[in-house]
Amino acid sequence: MSLISHEQAPHAFLNGVSHLIEQGETILTFSRRSNTDHVVPTLCDDSRLEPYGSCRVCSVDVALVAEGPRKVMASCHTPISNGMHIYTHSLRIEKLRKNIIELVLSDLPQHTLPVQQSTSNTEFEQVVLATGVTEVRFNQGRQSVASVPLTVNKKGEASLCDDSHPYMRMDLSLCIDCNRCVRACDEIQGEQVLSVAGRGFDARIIKGQDVSFNDSDCISCGACAQTCPTGAISDVFRQQLAKAQHTNEQTPIEKIRTICSYCGVGCNLEVSVQNNKILSIEAPKDAAVNNGHTCLKGRYAWRFYDHDDRLDSPLVKIDGKLTKVSWDYAFDYIAQRFNSIKSAHGSDAIAGISSARCTNEENYLLQKMMRVVIGTNNIDCCARVCHSPTAYGMQHSFGTGAATNSIEDIKQTEFILLIGANPTAAHPVTGAKIKQKVMKGTPLIVIDPIKTELARYANWHIQLRPGTNVAVLNMMAYFIIAEGLIDQAFINDRTEEYQSYRQAIMALNIDNLADIAGVDKNLVKQAAVAYAKANNAMSFHGLGVTEHSQGSRAIMCIADLVMLTGNIGRQGVGMNPLRGQNNVQGAADMGCQPHQGAGYFPVEDTDSITYYQQHYQITENSMVNLNQWPKKVGYKIPEMFNAALLGDLKALWILGEDVVQTDPNQQHVVASLANLDLLIVQEIFLSETAKMADVVLPGTTFLEKSGTFTNGERRVQKVNAAVKPRAGCKTDGDIIVEMMNALGYPQTPYDAGSMLAEISQVVPFFTGITWQNLGNDGLQWPVKKGGVDTQILHTDTFKRGLGKFHFYEFEESSEILVNQKEFPFILTTSRNLEHYNAGTMTRRTSNECLVSEDVLLVNRQDAISKGIINKSNVRLFSARGEITLTAQISDKVKQGVLFTTFHFPELMINRVTGDVTDKHTKCPEYKVVAVGIEKA
């Protein structure tokens, strides 16, 4: 094969120097990539947005041949072509830019002309200085003639400034009409809240129907504030940062890259710190995961890190009261109690619950302490109550219980199937990407009992009765097979058990299933046929699939659809769980589950036991010796509560989980915890669970620690400490290491990099990961030696060899069978955009000003039949208990279905939820609760 020379390859000349062209480049992107010495200034350009070409500051001279005639062209939207000669700073271009900047400045207050370079300069001020403008020769424009107030303030008065919102700020006297904010709201978030009203000098940015930020439909993602080059739209933290830069230029602002600790998207964050104080958080534009975007939680809901409610000392219950003690006292106390319990009742009388909000390294350490030091497999994590059915079902179908593809593949897909998930609320950055794709014409199926935001954009919304996923998914499989739309070659080459599966599916009574699920069978057929006919179809699912008595079986049903149509093993396809918490994937990877250790080796398997003993250097002389090594499956979280109530479990260590508020059937959980001899809670606040503890150990937030998180696409990313731990607190890794030392198992001082190195020796799919090679964007496991990662799983073969079809008939939840005569409504739960799970973090930020209570969505016909009016108090009750909350009449739910969130401890929604769990994993059935409703 002959090589193409530089002269033959497409190239262009930048200021006389030849550079190769990359496909799809504009002159601006070409110049930025090729030359950093003579940067082309811009105002209306943002690399995340489509080229706009309105400001013309990016203009350059272009000649098609050397020494040929030159033409002024806007570089941002002009495609580069072979042989072009581009001159970025000719005299006439520099003169043109100065004229443009002076005209822009003439529309702004006189004080906006910068006089010198400063770290506090806005992007616009930097452009002004770069173009050499030192005076404005033109008369004042808009500022001298505009008579219409530009916006609305907090009091609802006409004003130049809008300070009505907890976070967002607007001062349109600084607006230069670049429209970047409008485009960001549209092209990045897809909300279209911002628009332009008026023309000429009267043109201005408005929110919604010309209302304040607070009264608009703004979801506070901050994309407009991040893109605004002048500060016309900003936020309280960007203003705080600018003030700090301006008033204290001698103290540098440090920018630290880390990972968000909310949902499983794994957004990169850039934290601005001065004097160990966080000033602002931005989204870095070069981040592979979030591309310069994040939601209001990642960008704004971080002030909990230094909230006055933070714990600042270990607490031990003395004479019935939690009392501050020293760290040495706390460790010695726990060690003495653990040893006493272990001596009297055995290792299996002790258990641990780890946390998806903690790092891989911390989760690995807690399971190691339980197995190696205590000698029990009684270790679990919150994956149990959310995505354990995903891991179980996908492992049984494919061999690996993780996302098959990358979120980036949304760009390549031609069809999206979304089941039991509301990503615009629960996974906002991924949700925005799906929404953008759908708004541009990609077909979407939504299977969900709630009319979510994305359901409004769906081509097919199958609004099924909660708990009937298996019925609807089997219907889809039936229609795909009946219409002859299966990928027979894929089925023949890469799967097993198809014939028995097909026989069972084709024997189903489709009309009966449609009646059970409360759906139109023709709508299901249309959706199934469209999915099967798509060349590349990508499926996403959430807790609306997993948190059911048939959760694991529904997961296998989705896997069946994927294999039927061959939608796996390449770009733009696959089966992708939307992980609910920042490190729920990682916690399971690290072995925080009772049946599998780190790396998913079964704990009962002899070879696995030998493997772990060798890696942990277990010998006859070890604290837990060869004979004492745990060989049976431990307790899952629901089993821990049952064992505690029976008196079999004596001690429980809980890391960062508020089980009293978040786990189902609160009365049962409280009674179980109260029956323990020893409850240890490692937390940042005195949560409802911590209030019941015998020992409370103050840990740290993600902003105070280093380590790694693994997001929902298997991407292992670096978490870097932005500030020092709060006085009196220790990082969770330090706490566990010091506890292991106190128990007589010597450990070196905690270091995230060293711990990651140990993990890479134990967990096979971490083999090629090092602290150094993770870089800014991380690596997607499995990672081979040399740091070669994997974007797509199952390209040639499945982890288990052949993909396996599973058939399961629909089974009604026992919650319905036992309780629905007395409690005829079905309650289903989820979370909203503004808050996160128990609200431990978000309720200690200004997010509480945006949403301050959990409300109950009620169908209008149900409200009429019960005499309930909008915003009135209602009594919600079940076989377990009752609560009172505010009703909101809504068309988002069908008759007979109610919906609420669980963010506020004042209500304790889980007083009414039940004990029914998934048949295979014990994941609680939060999504189907038989309830009654009355006026309060």
Side-chain angles (χ1 to χ4, degrees), residues 856-861 863-864 868-871 887-891:
L856 184 71
L857 300 191
V858 184
N859 179 273
R860 183 170 300 278
Q861 295 305 313
I864 292 172
I868 294 168
I869 60 174
N870 196 41
K871 297 185 179 180
Q888 181 176 315
I889 297 175
S890 173
D891 67 351

Side-chain angles (χ1 to χ4, degrees), residues 376-452:
T376 181
N377 283 316
N378 291 340
I379 177 70
D380 209 352
C381 71
C382 61
R384 178 66 46 213
V385 299
C386 60
H387 269 288
S388 55
T390 287
Y392 180 92
M394 293 182 74
Q395 283 176 7
H396 280 70
S397 294
F398 304 146
T400 301
T404 64
N405 288 60
S406 307
I407 296 301
E408 181 73 9
D409 282 12
I410 291 172
K411 293 179 180 178
Q412 279 77 42
T413 196
E414 299 171 17
F415 198 100
I416 297 173
L417 170 60
L418 181 65
I419 314 167
N422 185 14
T424 54
H427 308 83
V429 170
T430 297
K433 291 180 179 180
I434 294 173
K435 184 177 177 181
Q436 289 287 341
K437 186 72 172 175
V438 172
M439 288 170 67
K440 292 174 182 175
T442 300
L444 170 68
I445 302 170
V446 170
I447 302 177
D448 202 296
I450 310 301
K451 193 179 292 183
T452 61

Side-chain angles (χ1 to χ4, degrees), residues 318-334:
I318 301 173
D319 296 328
K321 182 180 179 182
L322 286 171
T323 305
K324 289 186 176 183
V325 298
S326 69
W327 278 103
D328 286 343
Y329 182 96
F331 288 135
D332 289 344
Y333 178 82
I334 297 169

Side-chain angles (χ1 to χ4, degrees), residues 273-290:
V273 179
Q274 188 181 62
N275 293 326
N276 201 46
K277 179 182 178 181
I278 297 173
L279 300 173
S280 178
I281 290 182
E282 294 268 299
K285 289 184 179 180
D286 63 346
V289 170
N290 51 314

Side-chain angles (χ1 to χ4, degrees), residues 424-684:
T424 54
H427 308 83
V429 170
T430 297
K433 291 180 179 180
I434 294 173
K435 184 177 177 181
Q436 289 287 341
K437 186 72 172 175
V438 172
M439 288 170 67
K440 292 174 182 175
T442 300
L444 170 68
I445 302 170
V446 170
I447 302 177
D448 202 296
I450 310 301
K451 193 179 292 183
T452 61
E453 180 182 6
L454 285 173
R456 302 200 326 256
Y457 295 87
N459 303 74
W460 304 271
H461 177 202
I462 302 171
Q463 196 169 6
L464 74 177
R465 175 169 66 85
T468 60
N469 288 318
V470 168
V472 169
L473 293 168
N474 280 344
M475 289 175 69
M476 290 187 67
Y478 176 94
F479 289 122
I480 290 170
I481 295 170
E483 295 295 313
L485 296 173
I486 62 171
D487 187 334
Q488 192 66 61
F490 182 90
I491 292 170
N492 292 344
D493 295 342
R494 297 198 52 188
T495 71
E496 61 182 357
E497 304 296 335
Y498 172 67
Q499 289 303 326
S500 59
Y501 168 80
R502 181 187 186 284
Q503 184 177 358
I505 286 289
M506 299 312 292
L508 292 171
N509 184 328
I510 296 301
D511 291 324
N512 183 45
L513 291 179
D515 289 342
I516 288 170
V519 298
D520 178 353
K521 74 172 184 179
N522 291 319
L523 180 67
V524 177
K525 179 179 180 178
Q526 292 168 17
V529 168
Y531 170 77
K533 284 185 175 180
N535 291 322
N536 294 302
M538 202 170 186
S539 76
F540 296 92
H541 70 268
L543 304 187
V545 174
T546 61
E547 291 178 344
H548 291 275
S549 59
Q550 283 196 292
S552 294
R553 296 177 179 184
I555 293 297
M556 288 182 269
C557 289
I558 298 171
D560 292 336
L561 295 182
V562 167
M563 292 187 290
L564 278 175
T565 55
N567 275 304
I568 196 165
R570 62 183 188 276
Q571 275 193 328
V573 298
M575 181 173 173
N576 302 282
L578 293 168
R579 295 287 188 171
Q581 301 193 41
N582 59 298
N583 200 35
V584 71
Q585 178 70 58
D589 294 345
M590 294 302 104
C592 293
Q593 44 194 350
H595 64 295
Q596 294 173 324
Y600 298 104
F601 295 108
V603 298
E604 292 181 299
D605 180 74
T606 302
D607 291 340
S608 299
I609 292 170
T610 302
Y611 178 86
Y612 288 128
Q613 288 175 337
Q614 289 174 346
H615 279 283
Y616 295 141
Q617 299 180 339
I618 302 300
T619 66
E620 295 287 352
N621 299 319
S622 301
M623 182 181 177
V624 174
N625 63 41
L626 290 169
N627 295 322
Q628 294 175 317
W629 183 268
K631 297 180 176 66
K632 67 176 183 178
V633 173
Y635 292 135
K636 299 177 177 70
I637 290 175
E639 294 169 335
M640 291 179 188
F641 297 144
N642 293 337
L645 201 58
L646 292 171
D648 296 330
L649 185 67
K650 300 295 182 181
L652 179 59
W653 182 303
I654 301 178
L655 170 59
E657 291 297 323
D658 190 3
V659 296
V660 168
Q661 188 174 342
T662 60
D663 281 47
N665 195 348
Q666 184 196 42
Q667 295 89 326
H668 176 66
V669 174
V670 169
S672 301
L673 298 182
N675 206 43
L676 291 166
D677 290 350
L678 179 64
L679 174 60
I680 303 152
V681 175
Q682 199 170 326
E683 256 292 1
I684 57 175

Side-chain angles (χ1 to χ4, degrees), residues 117 248 251-252 347 433 831 837:
Q117 288 285 356
N248 193 4
T251 304
S347 298
K433 291 180 179 180
R831 65 191 193 212
N837 289 4

